[in-house]
Amino acid sequence: MNHRKVRLCLAVSMLCLAGSVYSQSSPSFFLTFSRHQSAIFQSQNSFLNGDNGSEQRISQCAGYKGELGWQTRNASAENQLLHYPAFGFGYTSFRFPQTDELGSPFALYSFLDAPFIRTEKFALKYMFRLGLSLNWKAEHPVLNPNNSVIGSARNLYINSGILLEYNVFRNTTLNLDLGSSHFSNGHRSSPNRGVNLLTGSVGVRYHFQDYQSLAARSIGEILEFDDRNELYFTFGTGVREQTFGYFELDKKVAFVNKNYRFYNLSVALQRQTGYLLKWGGGIDLMSNGAANARLEQLPNGAWRKLEVPQSEKLQLGLFGSLEWVMKDFSILIQPGYRVIDQEKIRKVTRFYQHLGIKYHVQDFIIGMGIRSVNFSESEYVELNLGYRLFWYGK
């Protein structure tokens, strides 16, 4: 997937998140300004542990955050059950004082804040942010050879955690949050070990409406939800960069990178029980372009892909599905197991995970997600289109 498609994919996700909620809410707007300090989760990666230009451990970073959001106000069943969540868009910067080999990245994202507890003076919320991080200084064999963490200037940004909001003046709250952040390019380019942060922020939020009045929500009757069944079909595609190492290349060169395309057809049967939850399972029929991939060297020294039979690329997976639903928008988690996998060269675990978002335009589906293994190593970023059928009954 090239950078233009990645930007399109993330732009669609952000617009879906905002449009889904804004269209059914009577919002109250706010602005947030924060400073964050982050600790970097250490790993076995030598670059983070001192094998870099500064010759010291890369252990922390800091930056600033600004957000424009809107607090839902109307008494829909979803808003009442979610304790009136807030949505919006944000910007955050990251500075690594130990080295300039990672660049000066920043992220543009959409966000969700939804309360566990809300009173007239404070709220305890869970938060979720999804977007695109830019301005990384990617690995380069000559210009930036030490960077074995990030191979792309543009990467996916995910943040989740908890937020405490305390009312200090009529329209102003003090915000404290703690969360984890992850940056990855979905194996669109190598290396892709990613960067993981534990982030704490302190800031202020200005509400354009009296904060204490936000706790006095209009309360409406929540009608009993008629449970329903749903059958959906989605088609997804993505690209990853495969690195061939020294021994795979007959010790002729250090490494060669090639791009391979993935296709996925998912069919799932789910049941929605209540306004906020869907559960079920399904089948993934996958064409893994990188399965059993091999190269050969041409007389001019270039390397080309060898043809691999389609039968060796096909994979069949079974997955369980859990969706958190907010009207037409949902966040999904799908752990799966490949019961058919013809990969013989680079054997990896058959267990895989799919974390994504979906937006329904009536019965049509637009979505995106990350497919990964080991709950940490992304295989590729996927863009989905699909359709659903549903019916009521037990």
Side-chain angles (χ1 to χ4, degrees), residues 135 137 148 189 191 201 203 206 214 221 227 234 257 259 280 291 319-320 326 359 365 368:
N135 206 40
K137 187 179 290 187
S148 57
S189 60
S201 300
Y206 179 81
L214 298 176
E221 180 184 4
D227 293 354
T234 58
N257 293 328
N259 290 328
F319 64 87
M326 291 164 280
Y359 180 65
I365 298 170
M368 66 154 292

Side-chain angles (χ1 to χ4, degrees), residues 260-374:
Y260 291 89
R261 183 164 289 278
F262 288 68
Y263 299 97
N264 188 86
L265 176 64
S266 297
V267 182
L269 179 63
Q270 299 189 125
R271 184 167 179 82
Q272 184 168 353
T273 52
Y275 287 96
L276 305 180
L277 183 66
K278 293 181 186 178
W279 56 273
I283 298 174
D284 281 322
L285 180 61
M286 296 166 272
S287 175
N288 179 351
N292 300 309
R294 302 182 296 278
L295 302 182
E296 67 175 355
Q297 192 171 30
L298 300 176
N300 64 3
W303 293 85
R304 74 175 178 185
K305 303 175 185 177
L306 285 173
E307 289 296 327
V308 176
Q310 185 61 42
S311 60
E312 294 187 21
K313 300 178 183 179
L314 292 179
Q315 299 173 336
L316 181 68
L318 303 178
F319 64 87
S321 182
L322 187 66
E323 286 190 30
W324 181 37
V325 182
M326 291 164 280
K327 202 174 177 63
D328 294 321
F329 174 80
S330 60
I331 299 173
L332 59 90
I333 301 173
Q334 294 176 335
Y337 181 80
R338 294 187 178 102
V339 295
I340 297 178
D341 185 353
Q342 301 300 316
E343 174 64 70
K344 302 179 181 66
I345 299 176
R346 302 168 193 85
K347 292 184 179 181
V348 296
T349 175
R350 289 177 177 241
F351 290 98
Y352 66 95
Q353 301 82 43
H354 181 209
L355 173 65
I357 60 174
K358 288 167 56 182
Y359 180 65
H360 295 93
V361 184
Q362 295 183 345
D363 293 322
F364 291 95
I365 298 170
I366 303 170
M368 66 154 292
I370 299 178
R371 291 191 175 270
S372 61
V373 293
N374 298 323

Side-chain angles (χ1 to χ4, degrees), residues 117-229:
I117 304 170
R118 182 191 294 280
T119 71
E120 291 186 355
K121 292 294 291 183
F122 79 94
L124 180 64
K125 306 178 179 182
Y126 53 92
M127 59 183 190
F128 179 75
R129 276 110 178 95
L130 174 65
L132 181 67
S133 63
L134 306 166
N135 206 40
W136 289 88
K137 187 179 290 187
E139 180 273 343
H140 189 279
V142 176
L143 301 178
N144 196 19
N146 295 323
N147 183 358
S148 57
V149 177
I150 289 291
S152 173
R154 303 172 181 86
N155 296 277
L156 188 69
Y157 168 69
I158 303 175
N159 172 268
S160 61
I162 57 173
L163 166 68
L164 176 64
E165 188 177 62
Y166 185 78
N167 181 218
V168 291
F169 299 109
R170 178 178 178 181
N171 295 80
T172 306
T173 58
L174 175 66
N175 284 21
L176 302 172
D177 68 65
L178 180 66
S180 62
S181 301
H182 175 68
F183 302 91
S184 170
N185 62 43
H187 253 297
R188 197 178 63 255
S189 60
S190 298
N192 184 49
R193 298 196 179 187
V195 177
N196 297 288
L197 309 177
L198 178 65
T199 301
S201 300
V202 58
V204 294
R205 176 171 290 181
Y206 179 81
H207 297 264
F208 289 86
Q209 198 167 346
D210 184 346
Y211 178 80
Q212 294 190 15
S213 71
L214 298 176
R217 298 293 188 273
S218 58
I219 302 300
E221 180 184 4
I222 299 179
L223 300 177
E224 183 177 353
F225 185 86
D226 293 327
D227 293 354
R228 69 185 192 185
N229 303 303

Side-chain angles (χ1 to χ4, degrees), residues 19-39:
S20 171
V21 181
Y22 186 75
S23 64
Q24 53 87 39
S25 304
S26 301
S28 172
F29 289 92
F30 58 81
L31 289 171
T32 306
F33 298 96
S34 305
R35 175 172 171 79
H36 68 80
Q37 189 76 29
S38 301

